[in-house]
Amino acid sequence: MKVMVFALRSFRREIRSGEVLVLLFSIALAVSALTAVGFLTDRIGKAVARQANEVLAADLRLRSQEPIPETWRDRAQEFDLQTAETNTFPSVVFAGDLSALATIKAVSGAYPLRGSVRVSDTLFGEQRVVDNTPARGKAWADGALLARIDADIGDRLTVGSLELEVTAVLTYRPDQSMGFASLAPSLLINIDDVAASGLVSEGSRVGYALLVAGSEDAVNRFDASIQPELPDAVRSSNREESSERAFRAADRAQRFLSLTAVISLLLSAVAVAMSARRFAHRRMDTVALMKSLGATQRFVISVSVVHLVLLGLLGVIIGSIIGFMAEEILTRILADLIASDLPGIGIMPVVLASGSAMVLLVGFALPSLIQLRNTPPLRVLRLDVLPPAPSRMLVDGLALAAVAALLYRSVGDAQMLAILLGGIVVIAIALYLVGRGLVATMGRFRSGVGVAWRYGLANVARRGRDSAVQVVAFGLGLTVLLLLTIVRTDLLEGWRQTLDEDAPNHFMINIQPHELESVANIYRSAGVEPPEFVPMIRARMSTINDVSVKDREYPDPGGKWMANREANLSFASKLSASNEIIEGEWWPEDYDGPPLVSIEEEAALETGLTIGDRMTFIVAGREVDVTIGSVRKINWDSFQPNFFMVFSPGALDGMPTTYIASLRLEKQQQPVLVKLVRTHPSISVIDLDSILQQIRGIVQKASLAVQAVFVFTLAAGIAVLFAAVQSTIDERRFESAMLRALGARKRTVFAGVMAEFAALGAAAGILASAGASILAAIVATRLFELPYEFNPLLWVTGVAAGIFVVCASGFVAARGAVNAPPVDVLRAA
């Protein structure tokens, strides 16, 4: 009881001291950063996943060539999941005497479970979102289908025995294929009309699908329960396969948020360690007096622990409030991305952040406080008497163990943890060595400079180890701030390229060789540059290295599917601008040797293929033997026609070939498409604008989140700088008082302090620039798969930032010491 009363009384006095405020701020910052980032990482991940799942129109899709069993729907309802059904089959659609092949998409009333359908009232007209499906007896037709049969809205179409009225032009449905497996335009109808059409019977070519959506946990449990019952013919698709581009943006955003949280935690740890060091040093006199009056070591430690716990609780409360305020602000910023029906943030991020803050205190502050119990009572009479320093292994071991545990708990990414911890440790050692070298050489440069610089450089040399520690603190703060700035800039630039406004927004497929010149002339007549036509040949792989693709073992399940599916092949003499050779060599433009093929890197990994492997393809009943000559990396974000397999010139001569193309059309140029599809009704035009808008929406919101959370790291960096300055504030206050008492002007003393900080900042800036450059290259390429280019301006920026930021922090933190009346300081001493 006595311990608690004494601790509370003394804590109320000490809470106003500078080092305690920095310690409190560091704890609150760690809690608020982890709370806010925990919220963002969790909810943005779920929101982006849900938005990305639009390409499935669900969270999980089960596809089969047989009707979906009723038991599957019942099972989904047991898990409180929404369901919808689709039937897909080809059929000839008639409008009077004209007809065309179409893909009939019959959907139930709940379709789509994710995303939305868009229609327009005229061919290639303004789109609008609808929240329903065609009623019975109605249909929404693809613009290309209407053009082929010369029909319009209000006309009646015949599908089998069914007569349907066209009520809208179908412009976009979430699960429309981006591939080329189905060249026929779509007709969306009500699933209840299928039976009346008479087109679906035993043996009919129909694709059945069950769409499932709901909470992530419920979907996963349903998927796990039904997987053992699924026949081999049923293909299950989940969010992992739904949208590579959308999930790449989400994954990068989440990784950056995690990186920001980890670095904020690291900086907070440095600030806590430095503040706790001064916190303990400032209390030596009090402890010595307490022990001279009979206080036991147990009493001293108990009071210190109570102070630590109170600091932790206060920091948790303040940090939680800031975290929830940040949550509210970021929720408003990301309102369009974060769906209102997602589960709330809950209390778990606060619990984890609070626990992390307490571990931070134990790991970084407790070792310094343990030192207090050994303070000798003799210090009451002799201030130079210090307690024996605690074991360095104890201090460093506790600190590193605490950081490692917190980082692994926060990130759960061993690669990121290894890169960050390893890089920070190496940079810290280099900074300390440079700091010691700076201390050793500063005394030699004092002659020939002004009074202020002589005083400042002497301070650097005189403080010795403290100066080296300050260089480490300043350098680490600058390193991680430069690192995050570089990665953030590269990340946003990479996303900006993804959002290229000049990216193609229309695909044309099924262009016959004899139509190429006519199609080009239609575009020229409308003032549009004709696109580049890329050949495409349908084929099926039969053997790999003389082993049947059905019997071969594959390193990845996706490899078996890729080897056994019907493939789209192409041939080219020049490498596409959106492709890069990463292994092997591209053939010469005039190549006329044995058939070669270039394979995409992911396809090569999944199928286990490499350069020199042989494959046999069946093309129009003929066998084509080919050898892998190179492996390519494809920029799928370019929206250019790309293929997993590209053959050398001449390898596919004489094979049935169609052509595809992509181009960008502005809104005022789109009427040319009406003429195109009416003149060439066999050509299908795919509008990519809706898909591009989806990706842009995800990336833009993720960018906002990245920039908003960056503020936490800036605050943590400032905390480190202030803690570094506060660590020597008592000495500065005494030195300033002595100099002013001996006649030095305040301006001279202050200029000397700024000269000291400028020297420390320059040294820290040089090492921080080097460390940030190396670490950024590793982080950008290994964690974010972003290209990294060395920028020499970083060094100029780093050194300038080091001098400016350290001097600015020193000015704010040290001006009180310089301005303190000398008589007050000397009397207190």
Side-chain angles (χ1 to χ4, degrees):
M1 187 64 184
K2 291 181 180 179
V3 171
M4 185 62 66
V5 172
F6 182 84
L8 290 174
R9 286 179 178 174
S10 57
F11 183 76
R12 193 167 58 184
R13 290 193 309 270
E14 294 171 351
I15 195 66
R16 294 189 292 269
S17 62
E19 71 279 359
V20 174
L21 288 177
V22 174
L23 191 58
L24 180 62
F25 177 75
S26 301
I27 298 168
L29 183 66
V31 173
S32 59
L34 290 175
T35 300
V37 172
F39 156 71
L40 283 172
T41 302
D42 181 46
R43 294 200 78 198
I44 287 180
K46 291 178 180 177
V48 171
R50 180 168 293 186
Q51 189 167 346
N53 282 354
E54 288 185 12
V55 298
L56 293 178
D59 293 331
L60 180 70
R61 180 176 63 191
L62 302 174
R63 290 185 294 177
S64 174
Q65 298 302 313
E66 301 293 332
I68 300 297
E70 189 70 30
T71 54
W72 294 5
R73 289 187 288 271
D74 295 340
R75 179 81 58 84
Q77 291 175 1
E78 290 176 7
F79 288 93
D80 293 325
L81 297 172
Q82 297 175 285
T83 62
E85 293 180 64
T86 67
N87 294 346
T88 308
F89 54 91
S91 178
V92 176
V93 176
F94 293 89
D97 296 331
L98 298 178
S99 63
L101 180 66
T103 298
I104 310 300
K105 184 81 170 182
V107 299
S108 61
Y111 173 90
L113 299 180
R114 294 285 181 251
S116 56
V117 175
R118 295 185 180 94
V119 300
S120 67
D121 297 322
T122 58
L123 204 61
F124 298 108
E126 192 70 28
Q127 300 182 54
R128 56 184 172 85
V129 175
V130 292
D131 55 5
N132 58 348
T133 54
R136 295 195 65 174
K138 311 294 182 182
W140 298 341
D142 190 302
L145 175 61
L146 295 178
R148 292 180 186 184
I149 57 179
D150 196 21
D152 210 336
I153 291 178
D155 291 348
R156 303 191 72 82
L157 308 179
T158 301
V159 181
S161 303
L162 187 66
E163 193 171 277
L164 302 167
E165 179 187 357
V166 179
T167 56
V169 178
L170 178 65
T171 60
Y172 172 77
R173 55 182 174 84
D175 53 347
Q176 67 186 27
S177 174
M178 277 294 295
F180 309 107
S182 175
L183 304 182
S186 298
L187 183 72
L188 197 69
I189 68 173
N190 193 296
I191 200 168
D192 293 333
D193 283 331
V194 172
S197 70
L199 295 173
V200 175
S201 59
E202 187 175 351
S204 297
R205 184 183 170 191
V206 182
Y208 299 89
L210 175 66
L211 308 182
V212 177
S215 68
E216 181 179 10
D217 178 61
V219 171
N220 290 338
R221 286 188 290 115
F222 167 75
D223 190 25
S225 72
I226 204 170
Q227 281 296 331
E229 304 174 14
L230 296 182
D232 293 338
V234 176
R235 181 169 174 80
S236 174
S237 302
N238 60 20
R239 64 185 57 189
E240 309 272 317
E241 306 162 348
S242 59
S243 176
E244 181 181 355
R245 296 181 181 90
F247 269 100
R248 189 181 304 159
D251 180 66
R252 286 176 176 175
Q254 289 185 13
R255 278 206 159 190
F256 186 89
L257 294 175
S258 297
L259 183 67
T260 303
V262 168
I263 288 179
S264 297
L265 190 65
L266 275 174
L267 289 174
S268 298
V270 174
V272 167
M274 299 200 71
S275 300
R277 182 167 167 264
R278 183 167 180 262
F279 178 83
H281 188 271
R282 284 287 298 271
R283 272 137 197 81
M284 286 182 185
D285 294 341
T286 302
V287 171
L289 182 59
M290 290 168 59
K291 295 181 76 171
S292 67
L293 295 176
T296 63
Q297 285 191 355
R298 181 179 178 183
F299 183 85
V300 170
I301 291 299
S302 298
V303 170
S304 300
V305 170
V306 171
H307 285 172
L308 203 63
V309 172
L310 290 174
L311 270 174
L313 291 176
L314 193 57
V316 165
I317 293 171
I318 295 173
S320 298
I321 293 173
I322 296 174
F324 275 115
M325 290 173 61
E327 172 206 347
E328 181 64 25
I329 294 171
L330 291 171
T331 299
R332 293 181 184 275
I333 292 175
L334 306 175
D336 294 338
L337 175 62
I338 299 177
S340 58
D341 59 338
L342 283 177
I345 178 176
I347 199 66
M348 189 52 65
V350 178
V351 173
L352 292 176
S354 303
S356 299
M358 300 309 293
V359 173
L360 204 65
L361 276 176
V362 171
F364 283 89
L366 191 59
S368 296
L369 292 179
I370 291 175
Q371 188 180 13
L372 287 177
R373 69 189 178 95
N374 296 321
T375 302
L378 184 61
R379 185 175 168 82
V380 174
L381 302 176
R382 291 182 55 189
L383 296 179
D384 60 334
V385 176
L386 298 174
S391 166
R392 297 307 305 172
M393 291 189 65
L394 171 64
V395 176
D396 296 342
L398 280 175
L400 289 176
V403 169
L406 284 174
L407 291 183
Y408 189 77
R409 177 63 188 83
S410 300
V411 181
D413 187 329
Q415 185 183 23
M416 180 185 289
L417 185 61
I419 291 174
L420 282 180
L421 274 183
I424 293 297
V425 168
V426 170
I427 292 171
I429 294 172
L431 285 166
Y432 185 77
L433 294 177
V434 168
R436 296 300 290 183
L438 188 69
V439 168
T441 57
M442 279 298 100
R444 304 175 185 178
F445 295 101
R446 284 185 286 171
S447 58
V449 295
V451 175
W453 275 99
R454 190 158 56 247
Y455 168 59
L457 297 180
N459 279 346
V460 173
R462 185 173 62 255
R463 298 193 202 285
R465 181 174 173 274
D466 285 341
S467 293
V469 170
Q470 284 186 318
V471 170
V472 173
F474 292 145
L476 285 179
L478 289 170
T479 297
V480 295
L481 289 177
L482 288 172
L483 167 66
L484 277 190
T485 300
I486 295 168
V487 175
R488 169 178 164 272
T489 302
D490 288 348
L491 191 60
L492 295 177
E493 177 62 21
W495 281 341
R496 187 197 66 77
Q497 293 175 1
T498 299
L499 304 179
D500 187 1
E501 295 299 327
D502 294 329
N505 58 0
H506 287 84
F507 253 104
M508 294 182 297
I509 60 178
N510 200 32
I511 306 171
Q512 299 301 317
H514 66 273
E515 296 177 308
L516 295 178
E517 187 61 31
S518 174
V519 171
N521 289 334
I522 289 174
Y523 283 116
R524 291 192 190 99
S525 65
V528 177
E529 181 68 22
E532 179 183 355
F533 300 103
V534 180
M536 186 179 78
I537 297 96
R538 302 287 289 173
R540 187 175 290 276
M541 193 185 305
S542 60
T543 65
I544 296 176
N545 294 329
D546 300 325
V547 177
S548 171
V549 293
K550 297 183 182 298
D551 301 330
R552 192 173 186 269
E553 294 293 329
Y554 299 91
D556 188 277
K560 182 176 182 180
W561 173 80
M562 180 168 290
N564 286 273
R565 73 187 180 98
E566 193 172 10
N568 297 311
L569 309 179
S570 186
F571 58 86
S573 58
K574 294 182 179 179
L575 182 67
S576 170
S578 58
N579 288 218
E580 176 189 355
I581 298 294
I582 59 174
E583 190 178 351
E585 294 183 357
W586 186 259
W587 43 78
E589 289 187 29
D590 56 354
Y591 180 79
D592 60 354
L596 296 176
V597 66
S598 179
I599 186 171
E600 190 266 343
E601 60 172 339
E602 290 296 328
L605 289 173
E606 291 181 357
T607 54
L609 294 171
T610 187
I611 292 178
D613 285 341
R614 293 171 288 104
M615 296 181 289
T616 301
F617 287 87
I618 306 297
V619 186
R622 295 165 53 189
E623 289 189 352
V624 176
D625 296 317
V626 65
T627 303
I628 298 178
S630 63
V631 179
R632 290 169 297 122
K633 182 176 183 179
I634 298 177
N635 176 19
W636 297 104
D637 291 336
S638 67
F639 285 93
Q640 300 289 342
N642 281 302
F643 296 84
F644 289 110
M645 305 279 183
V646 177
F647 283 59
S648 59
L652 297 174
D653 283 354
M655 301 298 179
T657 305
T658 60
Y659 288 81
I660 65 173
S662 66
L663 78 164
R664 177 166 188 83
L665 291 176
E666 303 302 331
K667 194 169 185 179
Q668 66 273 15
Q669 297 174 320
Q670 291 188 1
V672 69
L673 296 176
V674 178
K675 181 179 180 181
L676 174 70
V677 295
R678 291 195 185 279
T679 306
H680 300 282
S682 63
I683 296 177
S684 293
V685 178
I686 300 174
D687 188 349
L688 301 179
D689 266 334
S690 299
I691 297 170
L692 287 169
Q693 287 172 13
Q694 175 198 9
I695 296 171
R696 287 186 179 120
I698 293 172
V699 169
Q700 286 169 354
K701 295 304 179 182
S703 301
L704 281 174
V706 163
Q707 298 186 69
V709 176
F710 186 65
V711 174
F712 285 106
T713 308
L714 291 177
I718 292 171
V720 168
L721 297 177
F722 269 86
V725 174
Q726 284 285 336
S727 66
T728 57
I729 203 70
D730 291 333
E731 296 177 34
R732 298 182 191 283
R733 187 177 289 113
F734 182 77
E735 291 171 358
S736 174
M738 287 293 294
L739 289 171
R740 291 180 61 191
L742 295 173
R745 290 185 298 176
K746 184 191 301 184
R747 184 171 61 184
T748 303
V749 175
F750 198 80
V753 173
M754 289 298 100
E756 178 187 354
F757 283 131
L760 295 174
I766 293 172
L767 262 294
S769 300
S773 297
I774 298 171
L775 204 52
I778 298 173
V779 168
T781 55
R782 294 289 184 88
L783 298 183
F784 294 95
E785 298 180 357
L786 292 170
Y788 177 77
E789 293 183 5
F790 174 75
N791 186 358
L793 289 177
L794 173 67
W795 288 72
V796 178
T797 304
V799 175
I803 296 173
F804 174 77
V805 174
V806 173
C807 285
S809 302
F811 172 79
V812 174
R815 64 177 180 174
V818 177
N819 291 331
V823 64
D824 294 343
V825 177
L826 295 175
R827 280 176 179 172

